[in-house]
Coordinates of all heavy atoms in Angstrom, one line a residue:
M30 N 1.3 5.4 9.3 CA 0.7 5.9 8.2 C -0.6 5.2 7.9 O -0.7 4.0 8.0 CB 1.6 5.8 7.0 CG 1.2 6.6 5.8 SD 2.1 6.4 4.3 CE 3.7 6.7 4.6
K31 N -1.6 5.9 7.5 CA -3.0 5.3 7.2 C -3.0 4.8 5.8 O -2.7 5.5 4.9 CB -4.0 6.4 7.5 CG -5.4 5.9 7.6 CD -6.4 7.0 8.0 CE -7.7 6.4 8.2 NZ -8.7 7.5 8.6
K32 N -3.5 3.6 5.7 CA -3.7 3.0 4.3 C -4.9 3.6 3.6 O -6.0 3.8 4.3 CB -3.9 1.5 4.4 CG -2.6 0.8 4.7 CD -2.9 -0.7 4.5 CE -1.6 -1.5 4.7 NZ -1.8 -2.9 4.5
K33 N -4.8 3.9 2.4 CA -5.9 4.4 1.6 C -6.8 3.3 1.2 O -6.4 2.3 0.7 CB -5.4 5.1 0.4 CG -6.4 5.8 -0.4 CD -5.8 6.5 -1.6 CE -6.9 7.2 -2.5 NZ -6.4 7.8 -3.7
K34 N -8.1 3.4 1.5 CA -9.1 2.4 1.1 C -9.4 2.5 -0.4 O -9.5 3.6 -0.9 CB -10.4 2.6 1.9 CG -10.4 2.0 3.2 CD -11.8 1.9 3.7 CE -11.8 1.1 5.0 NZ -13.1 0.9 5.6
V35 N -9.5 1.4 -1.0 CA -9.7 1.3 -2.4 C -11.2 0.8 -2.6 O -11.6 -0.2 -2.2 CB -8.8 0.3 -3.2 CG1 -9.1 0.3 -4.6 CG2 -7.3 0.7 -2.9
K36 N -12.0 1.7 -3.3 CA -13.4 1.3 -3.5 C -13.7 1.1 -4.9 O -13.1 1.8 -5.8 CB -14.3 2.4 -2.9 CG -14.2 2.6 -1.4 CD -15.2 3.7 -0.9 CE -15.0 3.9 0.6 NZ -15.9 5.0 1.0
S37 N -14.6 0.3 -5.2 CA -15.0 0.0 -6.6 C -16.4 0.5 -6.9 O -17.3 0.1 -6.2 CB -14.9 -1.5 -6.9 OG -15.3 -1.8 -8.2
P38 N -16.6 1.3 -7.9 CA -18.0 1.7 -8.2 C -18.8 0.6 -8.7 O -20.1 0.7 -8.6 CB -17.7 2.8 -9.3 CG -16.4 2.5 -9.9 CD -15.6 1.9 -8.7
W39 N -18.2 -0.5 -9.2 CA -19.0 -1.6 -9.7 C -19.7 -2.3 -8.6 O -20.8 -2.7 -8.7 CB -18.0 -2.6 -10.4 CG -17.4 -2.1 -11.6 CD1 -16.1 -1.6 -11.7 CD2 -18.0 -1.9 -12.9 NE1 -15.9 -1.2 -13.0 CE2 -17.0 -1.3 -13.7 CE3 -19.2 -2.1 -13.4 CZ2 -17.3 -1.0 -15.1 CZ3 -19.5 -1.8 -14.7 CH2 -18.5 -1.2 -15.6
A40 N -19.0 -2.4 -7.4 CA -19.7 -3.0 -6.3 C -20.8 -2.2 -5.7 O -21.8 -2.7 -5.2 CB -18.6 -3.2 -5.2
L41 N -20.6 -0.8 -5.8 CA -21.7 0.0 -5.3 C -23.0 -0.1 -6.1 O -24.1 0.2 -5.6 CB -21.2 1.5 -5.3 CG -20.1 1.8 -4.4 CD1 -19.6 3.2 -4.6 CD2 -20.5 1.6 -2.9
V42 N -22.8 -0.5 -7.4 CA -24.0 -0.7 -8.2 C -24.5 -2.2 -8.2 O -25.7 -2.5 -8.1 CB -23.7 -0.3 -9.7 CG1 -24.8 -0.7 -10.6 CG2 -23.3 1.2 -9.8
G43 N -23.5 -3.1 -8.2 CA -23.8 -4.5 -8.3 C -24.6 -5.1 -7.1 O -25.5 -5.9 -7.3
F44 N -24.2 -4.7 -5.9 CA -24.8 -5.3 -4.7 C -26.2 -4.9 -4.6 O -27.1 -5.8 -4.3 CB -23.9 -4.9 -3.5 CG -24.3 -5.6 -2.2 CD1 -24.1 -7.0 -2.1 CD2 -25.0 -4.9 -1.2 CE1 -24.5 -7.7 -1.0 CE2 -25.4 -5.6 -0.1 CZ -25.1 -7.0 0.0
P45 N -26.6 -3.6 -4.7 CA -28.0 -3.3 -4.6 C -28.9 -3.9 -5.7 O -30.0 -4.4 -5.4 CB -28.1 -1.8 -4.7 CG -26.8 -1.3 -4.4 CD -25.8 -2.4 -4.8
V46 N -28.4 -4.1 -6.9 CA -29.1 -4.7 -8.0 C -29.4 -6.2 -7.6 O -30.5 -6.7 -7.8 CB -28.4 -4.6 -9.3 CG1 -29.0 -5.5 -10.4 CG2 -28.3 -3.2 -9.8
Y47 N -28.3 -6.8 -7.1 CA -28.5 -8.2 -6.7 C -29.5 -8.4 -5.5 O -30.4 -9.3 -5.6 CB -27.1 -8.8 -6.2 CG -27.1 -10.1 -5.6 CD1 -27.2 -11.3 -6.4 CD2 -27.1 -10.3 -4.2 CE1 -27.2 -12.5 -5.9 CE2 -27.1 -11.6 -3.7 CZ -27.2 -12.7 -4.5 OH -27.2 -13.9 -4.0
I48 N -29.4 -7.5 -4.5 CA -30.3 -7.6 -3.4 C -31.8 -7.3 -3.8 O -32.7 -8.0 -3.4 CB -29.9 -6.6 -2.3 CG1 -28.6 -7.0 -1.7 CG2 -31.0 -6.5 -1.2 CD1 -28.6 -8.4 -1.0
I49 N -32.0 -6.3 -4.7 CA -33.4 -6.0 -5.1 C -33.9 -7.2 -6.0 O -35.1 -7.5 -5.8 CB -33.4 -4.7 -5.9 CG1 -33.1 -3.5 -5.0 CG2 -34.7 -4.5 -6.6 CD1 -32.8 -2.2 -5.7
G50 N -33.1 -7.7 -6.8 CA -33.5 -8.8 -7.6 C -33.9 -10.0 -6.8 O -34.9 -10.7 -7.1
F51 N -33.1 -10.3 -5.8 CA -33.3 -11.5 -4.9 C -34.6 -11.2 -4.1 O -35.4 -12.2 -3.9 CB -32.1 -11.7 -4.0 CG -32.2 -13.0 -3.3 CD1 -32.0 -14.2 -4.0 CD2 -32.4 -13.1 -1.9 CE1 -32.1 -15.4 -3.3 CE2 -32.5 -14.3 -1.3 CZ -32.3 -15.5 -2.0
S52 N -34.8 -10.0 -3.6 CA -36.0 -9.8 -2.8 C -37.3 -9.8 -3.7 O -38.3 -10.3 -3.2 CB -35.9 -8.4 -2.2 OG -35.9 -7.4 -3.1
L53 N -37.2 -9.4 -5.0 CA -38.3 -9.6 -5.9 C -38.6 -11.1 -6.1 O -39.8 -11.4 -6.3 CB -38.1 -8.9 -7.2 CG -38.1 -7.3 -7.2 CD1 -37.7 -6.8 -8.6 CD2 -39.5 -6.8 -6.8
L54 N -37.6 -11.9 -6.2 CA -37.8 -13.3 -6.4 C -38.5 -14.0 -5.2 O -39.2 -14.9 -5.4 CB -36.5 -14.0 -6.7 CG -36.5 -15.4 -7.2 CD1 -37.2 -15.5 -8.5 CD2 -35.1 -15.9 -7.3
L55 N -38.3 -13.4 -4.0 CA -38.9 -14.0 -2.8 C -40.4 -13.7 -2.7 O -41.1 -14.3 -1.8 CB -38.1 -13.6 -1.6 CG -36.7 -14.1 -1.5 CD1 -36.0 -13.6 -0.2 CD2 -36.7 -15.6 -1.4
V56 N -40.9 -12.7 -3.4 CA -42.3 -12.4 -3.3 C -43.1 -13.6 -3.8 O -42.9 -14.1 -4.9 CB -42.6 -11.1 -4.2 CG1 -44.1 -10.8 -4.2 CG2 -41.8 -9.9 -3.7
G57 N -44.0 -14.0 -3.0 CA -44.7 -15.3 -3.4 C -45.7 -15.1 -4.5 O -45.8 -16.0 -5.3
S58 N -46.5 -14.0 -4.6 CA -47.5 -13.9 -5.5 C -47.1 -13.0 -6.7 O -48.0 -12.3 -7.2 CB -48.8 -13.4 -4.9 OG -48.5 -12.1 -4.3
A59 N -45.9 -13.1 -7.1 CA -45.4 -12.2 -8.2 C -45.8 -12.8 -9.5 O -45.8 -14.0 -9.7 CB -43.9 -12.1 -8.1
P60 N -46.1 -11.9 -10.5 CA -46.4 -12.5 -11.8 C -45.1 -13.1 -12.5 O -44.0 -12.8 -12.0 CB -46.8 -11.2 -12.6 CG -46.8 -10.1 -11.7 CD -46.3 -10.5 -10.4
E61 N -45.3 -13.8 -13.5 CA -44.2 -14.6 -14.1 C -43.2 -13.6 -14.7 O -42.0 -13.8 -14.6 CB -44.7 -15.5 -15.2 CG -43.7 -16.4 -15.8 CD -44.3 -17.3 -16.8 OE1 -45.4 -17.7 -16.7 OE2 -43.5 -17.7 -17.7
W62 N -43.6 -12.5 -15.3 CA -42.7 -11.5 -15.9 C -41.8 -10.9 -14.8 O -40.6 -10.6 -15.0 CB -43.4 -10.4 -16.7 CG -44.3 -9.5 -15.8 CD1 -45.6 -9.7 -15.5 CD2 -43.8 -8.3 -15.2 NE1 -46.0 -8.6 -14.8 CE2 -45.0 -7.8 -14.5 CE3 -42.6 -7.6 -15.1 CZ2 -44.9 -6.6 -13.8 CZ3 -42.6 -6.4 -14.4 CH2 -43.7 -5.9 -13.8
L63 N -42.4 -10.7 -13.6 CA -41.6 -10.1 -12.5 C -40.5 -11.1 -12.0 O -39.4 -10.7 -11.7 CB -42.5 -9.7 -11.4 CG -41.8 -8.9 -10.3 CD1 -41.3 -7.6 -10.8 CD2 -42.8 -8.6 -9.2
E64 N -40.8 -12.4 -12.0 CA -39.8 -13.4 -11.7 C -38.7 -13.4 -12.7 O -37.5 -13.5 -12.3 CB -40.5 -14.8 -11.6 CG -41.4 -14.9 -10.3 CD -42.0 -16.3 -10.3 OE1 -41.6 -17.2 -11.0 OE2 -42.8 -16.5 -9.4
T65 N -39.0 -13.3 -13.9 CA -38.0 -13.2 -15.0 C -37.1 -12.0 -14.8 O -35.9 -12.1 -14.9 CB -38.7 -13.2 -16.4 OG1 -39.6 -14.3 -16.5 CG2 -37.6 -13.3 -17.5
V66 N -37.7 -10.9 -14.6 CA -36.9 -9.6 -14.4 C -36.0 -9.8 -13.1 O -34.9 -9.4 -13.2 CB -37.9 -8.4 -14.2 CG1 -37.1 -7.2 -13.7 CG2 -38.6 -8.1 -15.5
S67 N -36.5 -10.4 -12.1 CA -35.7 -10.5 -10.9 C -34.5 -11.5 -11.1 O -33.4 -11.2 -10.6 CB -36.6 -11.0 -9.7 OG -37.0 -12.3 -9.9
K68 N -34.7 -12.5 -11.9 CA -33.6 -13.4 -12.2 C -32.6 -12.7 -13.1 O -31.4 -12.9 -12.8 CB -34.2 -14.7 -12.9 CG -35.0 -15.6 -12.0 CD -35.5 -16.8 -12.8 CE -36.4 -17.6 -11.9 NZ -37.1 -18.7 -12.7
I69 N -33.0 -11.9 -14.0 CA -32.1 -11.1 -14.8 C -31.3 -10.2 -13.9 O -30.1 -10.0 -14.1 CB -32.8 -10.4 -15.9 CG1 -33.4 -11.4 -16.9 CG2 -31.9 -9.4 -16.6 CD1 -34.3 -10.8 -18.0
M70 N -32.0 -9.5 -13.0 CA -31.3 -8.6 -12.0 C -30.3 -9.3 -11.2 O -29.2 -8.8 -10.9 CB -32.3 -7.9 -11.2 CG -33.2 -6.9 -11.9 SD -34.4 -6.1 -10.8 CE -33.4 -5.1 -9.8
I71 N -30.6 -10.5 -10.7 CA -29.6 -11.3 -9.9 C -28.4 -11.6 -10.7 O -27.3 -11.4 -10.3 CB -30.3 -12.6 -9.4 CG1 -31.4 -12.2 -8.3 CG2 -29.3 -13.5 -8.8 CD1 -32.2 -13.4 -7.9
V72 N -28.6 -12.1 -12.0 CA -27.5 -12.4 -12.8 C -26.6 -11.1 -13.1 O -25.4 -11.2 -13.1 CB -27.9 -13.0 -14.1 CG1 -26.8 -13.2 -15.2 CG2 -28.5 -14.4 -13.9
L73 N -27.3 -10.0 -13.4 CA -26.6 -8.8 -13.7 C -25.8 -8.3 -12.4 O -24.7 -7.9 -12.5 CB -27.6 -7.7 -14.1 CG -27.0 -6.3 -14.4 CD1 -26.1 -6.4 -15.6 CD2 -28.1 -5.3 -14.7
G74 N -26.4 -8.4 -11.3 CA -25.7 -8.1 -10.0 C -24.5 -8.9 -9.8 O -23.4 -8.4 -9.4
V75 N -24.6 -10.2 -10.0 CA -23.4 -11.1 -9.9 C -22.3 -10.8 -10.8 O -21.1 -10.7 -10.5 CB -23.9 -12.6 -10.0 CG1 -22.7 -13.5 -10.1 CG2 -24.8 -13.0 -8.9
I76 N -22.7 -10.5 -12.1 CA -21.7 -10.1 -13.1 C -21.0 -8.8 -12.7 O -19.8 -8.7 -12.7 CB -22.4 -9.9 -14.5 CG1 -22.8 -11.3 -15.0 CG2 -21.4 -9.2 -15.4 CD1 -23.6 -11.3 -16.2
L77 N -21.8 -7.8 -12.2 CA -21.1 -6.6 -11.7 C -20.2 -6.8 -10.5 O -19.2 -6.1 -10.4 CB -22.2 -5.5 -11.4 CG -23.0 -5.0 -12.6 CD1 -24.2 -4.1 -12.1 CD2 -22.0 -4.2 -13.5
L78 N -20.6 -7.7 -9.6 CA -19.7 -8.0 -8.5 C -18.5 -8.7 -8.9 O -17.4 -8.4 -8.3 CB -20.5 -8.8 -7.4 CG -21.6 -8.0 -6.7 CD1 -22.4 -9.0 -5.8 CD2 -21.0 -6.9 -5.8
I79 N -18.5 -9.5 -9.9 CA -17.3 -10.2 -10.4 C -16.4 -9.1 -11.0 O -15.2 -9.1 -10.8 CB -17.7 -11.3 -11.4 CG1 -18.3 -12.5 -10.7 CG2 -16.5 -11.8 -12.2 CD1 -18.9 -13.5 -11.6
I80 N -17.0 -8.2 -11.8 CA -16.2 -7.1 -12.4 C -15.6 -6.3 -11.3 O -14.4 -5.8 -11.4 CB -17.1 -6.3 -13.3 CG1 -17.5 -7.1 -14.6 CG2 -16.4 -5.0 -13.8 CD1 -18.5 -6.4 -15.5
A81 N -16.3 -6.0 -10.2 CA -15.8 -5.3 -9.1 C -14.6 -5.9 -8.5 O -13.6 -5.3 -8.1 CB -16.9 -5.1 -8.0
G82 N -14.6 -7.3 -8.3 CA -13.5 -8.0 -7.8 C -12.3 -7.9 -8.7 O -11.2 -7.7 -8.2
I83 N -12.5 -8.0 -10.0 CA -11.3 -7.9 -10.9 C -10.8 -6.5 -10.8 O -9.6 -6.3 -10.8 CB -11.8 -8.3 -12.3 CG1 -12.1 -9.8 -12.3 CG2 -10.7 -8.0 -13.3 CD1 -12.8 -10.2 -13.6
D84 N -11.7 -5.5 -10.8 CA -11.3 -4.1 -10.8 C -10.6 -3.8 -9.5 O -9.6 -3.0 -9.5 CB -12.5 -3.2 -11.0 CG -12.2 -1.7 -11.1 OD1 -11.3 -1.4 -11.9 OD2 -12.8 -0.9 -10.4
L85 N -11.0 -4.3 -8.4 CA -10.4 -4.1 -7.1 C -9.0 -4.6 -7.1 O -8.1 -3.9 -6.5 CB -11.3 -4.7 -6.0 CG -10.9 -4.3 -4.6 CD1 -11.1 -2.8 -4.4 CD2 -11.8 -5.0 -3.6
K86 N -8.8 -5.8 -7.6 CA -7.4 -6.3 -7.7 C -6.5 -5.4 -8.5 O -5.3 -5.2 -8.1 CB -7.4 -7.7 -8.3 CG -7.9 -8.8 -7.4 CD -7.8 -10.1 -8.1 CE -8.4 -11.2 -7.3 NZ -8.4 -12.5 -7.9
K87 N -6.9 -4.9 -9.6 CA -6.1 -4.0 -10.4 C -5.8 -2.7 -9.7 O -4.7 -2.2 -9.8 CB -6.8 -3.7 -11.8 CG -6.9 -4.9 -12.7 CD -7.5 -4.5 -14.0 CE -7.6 -5.7 -14.9 NZ -8.3 -5.4 -16.2
R88 N -6.8 -2.2 -9.0 CA -6.6 -0.9 -8.3 C -5.7 -1.1 -7.1 O -4.9 -0.2 -6.9 CB -8.0 -0.4 -7.8 CG -8.9 0.2 -8.8 CD -10.2 0.6 -8.2 NE -11.1 1.0 -9.3 CZ -11.6 2.3 -9.3 NH1 -11.3 3.2 -8.4 NH2 -12.4 2.6 -10.3
K89 N -5.7 -2.2 -6.4 CA -4.8 -2.4 -5.3 C -3.4 -2.5 -5.8 O -2.5 -2.0 -5.2 CB -5.2 -3.7 -4.6 CG -6.3 -3.5 -3.6 CD -6.5 -4.8 -2.8 CE -7.6 -4.5 -1.7 NZ -7.8 -5.7 -0.9
K90 N -3.2 -3.2 -7.0 CA -1.9 -3.3 -7.5 C -1.3 -2.0 -7.9 O -0.1 -1.7 -7.7 CB -1.9 -4.3 -8.7 CG -2.0 -5.7 -8.3 CD -1.9 -6.6 -9.6 CE -2.0 -8.1 -9.2 NZ -2.1 -9.0 -10.4
S91 N -2.2 -1.1 -8.5 CA -1.7 0.2 -8.9 C -1.4 1.1 -7.8 O -0.6 2.0 -7.8 CB -2.7 0.9 -9.9 OG -3.9 1.2 -9.2
V92 N -2.2 0.9 -6.6 CA -1.9 1.8 -5.4 C -0.6 1.3 -4.8 O 0.2 2.1 -4.3 CB -3.1 1.6 -4.4 CG1 -2.7 2.2 -3.1 CG2 -4.3 2.3 -5.0
Q93 N -0.3 0.0 -4.8 CA 0.9 -0.5 -4.2 C 2.2 -0.1 -5.0 O 3.2 0.1 -4.4 CB 0.9 -2.0 -4.1 CG -0.1 -2.5 -3.0 CD -0.2 -4.0 -3.0 OE1 0.4 -4.7 -3.9 NE2 -0.9 -4.6 -2.1
A94 N 2.0 0.1 -6.3 CA 3.2 0.4 -7.1 C 3.6 1.8 -6.9 O 3.1 2.7 -6.4 CB 2.8 0.2 -8.6

């Protein structure tokens, strides 16, 4: 029997936000406001990935029950 994969929509949003924010931070000649925006995006991406992990645990428990 094939196991059903459990996906989290939070991870589908959080990971690209984190990657885009990190890539904006690596730009050398970025203005100060862009660096601030990229740091906010990194923090937002990390928060969404943490929520995705919590949500994934809950979904796995509900699928097993």
Side-chain angles (χ1 to χ4, degrees):
M30 195 189 301
K31 194 175 186 182
K32 285 187 175 182
K33 184 179 178 183
K34 278 195 171 181
V35 180
K36 294 182 182 177
S37 176
W39 297 103
L41 295 175
V42 173
F44 191 67
V46 169
Y47 174 77
I48 294 298
I49 292 169
F51 192 70
S52 64
L53 287 175
L54 190 62
L55 292 178
V56 174
S58 60
E61 187 176 332
W62 66 269
L63 189 61
E64 288 182 9
T65 305
V66 168
S67 68
K68 289 176 185 176
I69 292 170
M70 287 178 71
I71 291 171
V72 170
L73 182 63
V75 168
I76 290 170
L77 288 173
L78 288 173
I79 290 170
I80 292 171
I83 294 169
D84 186 46
L85 192 61
K86 285 182 184 179
K87 288 181 182 178
R88 286 177 186 241
K89 279 187 177 182
K90 286 181 181 177
S91 67
V92 167
Q93 288 176 353

